[in-house]
Amino acid sequence: MYSAPVGILERARVEWFAAAFGLVVGTTMVFVPYEFGAALFQHIYPHVRPLGSLFLVGSATMLVAMLYPGWNAFVGWVGRALFVGAVAFYWWSTAVLNSSLTGSILYPLMVGALLLERTARFQGRGLLGVFIACVALSFGGLMALNPQTYQRFSLLESVPLVRWMGVLFLAMGALLAVGAWRQRPGACRLALGGLGVLFVNMTFALGARASWAGMGVYAVLAVSCLVLLLLRRVPAPAGVRWRLFRGMALASVLPILGLGAVTSTLAQSALEVELREKARQAVAAETAWLDQTATVASSMLRAQSRDAAFVAAARAGNREGLRERVDLLENDSGLFDAAWVLDATGETLVASSRLKRSGNFSDREYFQQALKGGDEVLLSRPFLTRAGLPFVVFTAPVDLGGGGRLILVAGLSLQRLGLHPTLASRSYHVELFDRRDGSLLRETNRGDVLTRAPVLGLLSPESLAAPEGMAEAFDARGRRLMVAHAQVTDTPWTVVVTARLREAFAPVTRMGAWVVVIAALAGAIALVLSQWVGRDVAQRLEALRDGFASLGTPALEGGQRVQARGDDEVTQLASGFNDMAARIDRTQKELREAIAIRDQFLSMASHELRTPLTPLKATLELLIRQSEAGQELNPERKRATFARLNRQVDRLTRLIGDMLDVSRLQSGRFTLTVAPMDLGALAHEVVERIQSSRPERQGLLSLELPQAPLVGRWDEQRLDQLLTNLVENALRYSPPETPVRIRVVEEPDGVRVDVEDRGIGIPRESLSQLFTPFYRAHNATEHYAGGLGLGLAICREIVERHGGLIQVTSAGPGQGSCFTVRLPRAAVVEAAA
Ligand code: ADP
């Protein structure tokens, strides 16, 4: 049965989910902070970058601790602490302060599962499955009970559909919980698939509404469901390629993200400073222009109202004279669009020619004010004229003397005010409003609006109360605005300039987005490169591993077990391995040969020991039988029998002596006892002895000796053994009818002994090994089955201990051989030391 989902559900850790979530949210916050867009984040905006950095650092540390499980657990705890801190703040400001139920549930669930996973009870287990089931159940409940609130979580915003979505969430969550508990892989797969689809729907729905952070969470949830559904087991990445990727990715992505974050923060703060400065300048220019306009208008009106000719005309009731003056105000000032003279009851005395408005103005607020006030020039609120034109008017009282009063009114059309292009109106959204009632006089290029100033819907009047300042606000769609404002001196007017930060910071956001793209690209390149480089290294290491596994078995043709190409450390390792393997092969071969020689020796030795024993035993039995039977042998036969017995015992003694000598020789216990002696006499004695025991060689054994005795300090017994061995060999390895020559020659620094035969000779390849213990040339084994290959080894030892040299020459098989021994007069006797 395919049981992967249950297996993986028990192992998959919430920490991976948390790290992915932290990276997504942190990256969005740090690199594209003004794309957050929703009013949900208004409490975060002032801290968006620090919070994003906290998310990034926390989740990156968690990730690193998970990627390097061998590191100190402290690193993981630092990461989790930073992450939990970031989530707590995020949760408080987006979920609790905005009373978002889903968020209020989701983040505590995540943090709870993250910390629970670390307790001893859940050691080695992952709670990602449990977490997803809990999220599904709580979301399901909320959506089913209260579908209206969650319409934005569905691509299709219909209430019944959202309710159904809730029901589906509930069903899938329950199925997942039961499936995991009862170990039912099929149920788990179905639930994970269903939840994956539901979360994908939520992701797209939130994406369509530009809620990036929400989108990030649900995208990570959807991906988690799909990963759990598709993966067969929790990957335990290992091997060279993975290690390379891990290192390369961290080394490339993290610095890019870090550098990008610093750069975009710096760029943004520089941009912000500039933006503030420019907005302040724009407001100042606008204010200065309005201030000038109002001042000029007031002083013009004041001058007119006090002008003696004007006052005289008014006193005289000279309407023509007055009209001339108001026309002058309208036309020549270049400032006013109309002017009137009203009498004390509000009735129009004269009106300037363009507007020709007349009538009673006593109901007008500005008229009331002007009547009440002293001799100040007053500025009215904006109002619609009877003809429907938006105006503000300046009023100035005209004192006629004797208590008589007229009112001079000059009107300024807002349309004209709005049309005037200013520094601010060209680059910003500008609002000019009257503080007394908040009505709008100008909005960027429009002057014919008499609504309430929109900025007052975003900011409280108190925050605009200062003579000038800066504030931040969110518009109706949750977009962040920067607001610069200033009051126009001596007027009830306030100028407000607003800039949408999202647009202003678009270049920084674009740069941030590019940084993220480049970091992702770097990660991808790290992946490709690590696979590429790693494959080569991994293949070579695998070849080495196979090489190690095959150590001890015979090497293939050519002897090279592992290919060593290139010049890096792996190549050095491979050639080192090849050398080692070759040494091991050689040693093994030598060992095998030694074992074969030993086996051969054992069988030969037992054969050699038995050979004299058989006739020895037979003779002894015969003698016993005869003595029991009381038979007496004739003296001749008796001597022959005893001589035969003696020879067999000699042979046995020699064999055992050889074996003992070799064993002494190998253990370093072979010693000499030197004393003055005559080598010529010894050679004579040895030849005599051998000759007497080999009557068939009569006359074929020749000895050449110098006249004078050859006296030196040598070990007589050992030299006897040496000569006997050489002469016996010469006889043994040559046909009976061939001669053997022994020559003893005096040399300037010692003596030389040659033993020469015309026997079977020695193959060229055997010459060098002839003196090693147990070695026998193959032609010797054919010619003479007995022999243990010990004699020559002992000979060499004897000669070398005397400080001499033994050599052999032979022209090849069948060509005879000659053994030459050179001895110094006085033995060096190193062994005696
Ligand atoms: P053994 O004679 O018992 O085999 P030795 O150590 O005396 O042992 O000799 C070693 C080998 O040297 C012999 O087996 C033989 O192959 C070779 N050898 C020794 N002497 C002669 C010789 N005179 N002619 C040819 N081969 C010889």
Side-chain angles (χ1 to χ4, degrees):
M1 193 170 73
Y2 175 53
S3 65
V6 171
I8 203 172
L9 273 180
E10 280 170 358
R11 301 236 108 75
R13 284 168 36 193
V14 176
E15 200 161 355
W16 285 105
F17 170 84
F21 163 75
L23 284 181
V24 169
V25 176
T27 308
T28 328
M29 279 189 182
V30 173
F31 293 100
V32 278
Y34 291 96
E35 299 299 321
F36 262 54
L40 195 69
F41 297 102
Q42 53 183 302
H43 303 288
I44 287 185
Y45 271 130
H47 322 285
V48 72
R49 269 182 208 279
L51 183 63
S53 309
L54 196 63
F55 261 119
L56 271 186
V57 174
S59 45
T61 314
M62 264 165 36
L63 196 69
V64 169
M66 284 188 286
L67 293 182
Y68 291 88
W71 285 13
N72 196 321
F74 175 72
V75 179
W77 278 112
V78 169
R80 281 187 285 279
L82 295 177
F83 176 79
V84 169
V87 172
F89 182 75
Y90 187 75
W91 169 72
W92 182 256
S93 37
T94 59
V96 178
L97 292 184
N98 289 303
S99 22
S100 145
L101 259 177
T102 41
S104 302
I105 293 173
L106 180 75
Y107 302 116
L109 265 181
M110 177 170 68
V111 170
L114 180 69
L115 298 180
L116 207 63
E117 225 172 44
R118 287 279 139 197
T119 57
R121 195 175 180 292
F122 292 97
Q123 207 70 52
R125 287 197 52 194
L127 294 178
L128 184 56
V130 177
F131 166 67
I132 291 179
C134 290
V135 170
L137 287 174
S138 46
F139 277 21
L142 288 174
M143 283 179 188
L145 292 177
N146 197 1
Q148 299 83 310
T149 322
Y150 297 101
Q151 285 184 43
R152 66 195 180 92
F153 285 156
S154 167
L155 273 175
L156 300 170
E157 292 187 38
S158 99
V159 171
L161 224 79
V162 175
R163 196 185 292 278
W164 271 111
M165 223 173 106
V167 172
L168 267 179
F169 257 126
L170 275 177
M172 294 296 153
L175 190 66
L176 181 63
V178 173
W181 180 43
R182 289 281 171 117
Q183 303 271 320
R184 295 274 190 282
C188 291
R189 281 160 65 80
L190 183 67
L192 284 170
L195 287 175
V197 172
L198 288 171
F199 284 130
V200 165
N201 172 46
M202 280 173 89
T203 309
F204 281 113
L206 289 169
R209 290 171 187 93
S211 170
W212 306 105
M215 188 181 160
V217 184
Y218 296 110
V220 177
L221 266 170
V223 170
S224 304
C225 285
L226 296 180
V227 166
L228 288 182
L229 177 66
L230 298 177
L231 271 196
R232 279 161 187 263
R233 59 188 175 84
V234 181
V240 177
R241 275 175 255 190
W242 161 246
R243 277 166 193 275
L244 266 176
F245 169 62
R246 187 174 68 177
M248 281 168 77
L250 289 182
S252 56
V253 175
L254 290 187
I256 292 179
L257 285 184
L259 204 69
V262 173
T263 324
S264 57
T265 308
L266 290 180
Q268 190 182 319
S269 44
L271 213 65
E272 200 161 333
V273 169
E274 194 186 314
L275 196 70
R276 279 170 176 269
E277 194 45 46
K278 275 191 174 161
R280 192 174 291 123
Q281 281 172 8
V283 169
E286 185 87 3
T287 323
W289 169 64
L290 288 168
D291 186 26
Q292 190 192 4
T293 309
T295 314
V296 171
S298 311
S299 34
M300 204 177 265
L301 215 62
R302 188 178 296 116
Q304 192 59 257
S305 66
R306 291 178 190 170
D307 183 77
F310 180 76
V311 175
R315 267 198 206 122
N318 176 0
R319 290 189 178 221
E320 263 325 297
L322 287 178
R323 178 165 296 115
E324 231 169 72
R325 289 304 178 116
V326 290
D327 275 342
L328 212 64
L329 271 181
E330 178 188 289
N331 296 323
D332 291 359
S333 70
L335 205 64
F336 300 114
D337 296 283
W340 302 263
V341 179
L342 310 179
D343 67 13
T345 61
E347 204 59 56
T348 313
L349 282 179
V350 285
S352 60
S353 46
R354 202 180 314 151
L355 222 66
K356 282 247 166 60
R357 286 277 156 227
S358 57
N360 190 306
F361 288 85
S362 56
D363 59 328
R364 290 282 181 193
E365 180 237 3
Y366 64 80
F367 175 76
Q368 310 287 335
Q369 267 187 334
L371 271 186
K372 267 187 264 154
D375 57 354
E376 288 295 297
V377 177
L378 295 173
L379 181 54
S380 81
R381 299 173 198 214
F383 64 94
L384 276 184
T385 61
R386 295 210 172 101
L389 294 172
F391 260 77
V392 282
V393 291
F394 289 84
T395 52
V398 184
D399 191 0
L400 299 179
R405 222 172 190 210
L406 291 181
I407 294 168
L408 179 60
V409 182
L412 183 61
S413 143
L414 292 186
Q415 231 152 11
R416 205 156 71 93
L417 196 68
L419 282 176
H420 184 87
T422 60
L423 177 65
S425 70
R426 276 193 289 260
S427 5
Y428 298 97
H429 177 85
V430 184
E431 287 176 34
L432 172 65
F433 68 89
D434 192 308
R435 284 194 296 281
R436 289 168 296 190
D437 60 356
S439 51
L440 194 65
L441 283 94
R442 168 176 183 161
E443 186 174 22
T444 314
N445 290 328
R446 287 166 49 204
D448 52 352
V449 261
L450 274 187
T451 51
R452 191 173 156 75
V455 70
L456 292 171
L458 309 176
L459 279 172
S460 63
E462 295 84 66
S463 49
L464 296 173
E468 61 174 22
M470 282 273 174
E472 285 197 0
F474 293 89
D475 70 7
R477 295 184 54 199
R479 287 172 303 198
R480 196 174 168 214
L481 305 172
M482 195 183 65
V483 183
H485 61 91
Q487 295 178 356
V488 183
T489 341
D490 295 333
T491 64
W493 292 347
T494 293
V495 177
V496 171
V497 157
T498 52
R500 260 197 228 137
L501 289 182
R502 183 172 177 168
E503 268 103 71
F505 291 135
V508 182
T509 306
R510 258 199 307 279
M511 187 181 92
W514 273 113
V515 170
V516 175
V517 170
I518 290 170
L521 258 175
I525 290 173
L527 181 66
V528 173
L529 270 184
S530 62
Q531 295 301 307
W532 184 50
V533 176
R535 195 177 56 203
D536 177 51
V537 176
Q539 277 173 351
R540 287 154 69 196
L541 288 179
E542 278 158 16
L544 258 178
R545 183 195 59 200
D546 296 345
F548 270 108
S550 72
L551 261 187
T553 60
L556 297 175
E557 282 301 305
Q560 245 209 2
R561 286 173 182 262
V562 178
Q563 262 207 351
R565 57 193 150 75
D567 55 356
D568 53 9
E569 287 84 346
V570 182
T571 311
Q572 290 166 6
L573 194 66
S575 48
F577 169 79
N578 281 336
D579 291 348
M580 183 190 75
R583 271 198 306 277
I584 290 179
D585 285 348
R586 243 190 338 269
T587 315
Q588 273 194 331
K589 192 166 159 243
E590 283 167 11
L591 273 176
R592 271 196 297 273
E593 282 171 4
I595 290 170
I597 288 175
R598 186 200 62 190
D599 291 347
Q600 193 192 0
F601 165 75
L602 277 177
S603 84
M604 283 188 320
S606 38
H607 176 78
E608 282 293 286
L609 286 172
R610 197 145 31 157
T611 311
L613 277 179
T614 317
L616 200 66
K617 189 165 168 46
T619 315
L620 278 175
E621 276 171 0
L622 182 73
L623 283 177
I624 291 169
R625 264 201 315 277
Q626 282 176 345
S627 101
E628 279 170 358
Q631 292 173 343
E632 260 307 308
L633 282 177
N634 67 41
E636 192 60 26
R637 279 196 64 187
K638 208 181 206 170
R639 207 174 28 253
T641 309
F642 283 139
R644 208 166 53 240
L645 280 179
N646 199 28
R647 267 207 308 280
Q648 307 296 2
V649 172
D650 276 353
R651 190 172 170 188
L652 269 178
T653 315
R654 213 175 33 251
L655 259 175
I656 293 171
D658 276 2
M659 282 154 112
L660 278 175
D661 278 345
V662 168
S663 133
R664 278 197 206 106
L665 182 155
Q666 285 179 336
S667 62
R669 287 181 290 116
F670 192 90
T671 52
L672 297 184
T673 321
V674 297
M677 58 160 286
D678 180 359
L679 184 65
L682 178 70
H684 193 264
E685 190 188 318
V686 169
V687 171
E688 281 290 293
R689 191 175 63 228
I690 294 173
Q691 182 76 77
S692 65
S693 66
R694 305 273 185 131
E696 73 279 6
R697 295 273 184 154
Q698 204 62 50
L700 290 173
L701 207 59
S702 65
L703 172 67
E704 291 170 31
L705 280 175
Q707 296 287 310
L710 285 172
V711 180
R713 284 177 61 81
W714 298 302
D715 184 326
E716 186 164 6
Q717 223 182 330
R718 289 297 181 194
L719 289 194
D720 186 328
Q721 192 181 358
L722 166 77
L723 292 177
T724 312
N725 238 322
L726 292 180
V727 179
E728 287 277 4
N729 273 355
L731 294 172
R732 194 186 303 156
Y733 297 112
S734 57
E737 66 282 2
T738 54
V740 170
R741 279 175 63 191
I742 300 122
R743 214 171 22 243
V744 182
V745 188
E746 183 163 16
E747 290 199 327
D749 50 350
V751 291
R752 194 184 86 217
V753 182
D754 294 325
V755 180
E756 193 182 348
D757 63 58
R758 297 208 193 132
I760 62 166
I762 298 159
R764 175 178 294 273
E765 68 274 11
S766 302
L767 283 173
S768 60
Q769 284 169 281
L770 220 56
F771 297 97
T772 33
F774 309 120
Y775 184 81
R776 304 195 71 210
H778 63 84
N779 62 339
T781 46
E782 287 157 16
H783 178 81
Y784 170 62
L788 294 177
L790 298 178
L792 284 184
I794 296 168
C795 289
R796 183 176 68 177
E797 194 66 16
I798 294 172
V799 173
E800 286 181 355
R801 288 296 166 104
H802 277 93
L805 193 70
I806 184 165
Q807 283 168 314
V808 59
T809 48
S810 168
Q815 309 280 317
S817 17
C818 177
F819 286 82
T820 306
V821 173
R822 287 195 171 78
L823 289 174
R825 283 288 178 144
V828 176
V829 203
E830 29 179 275

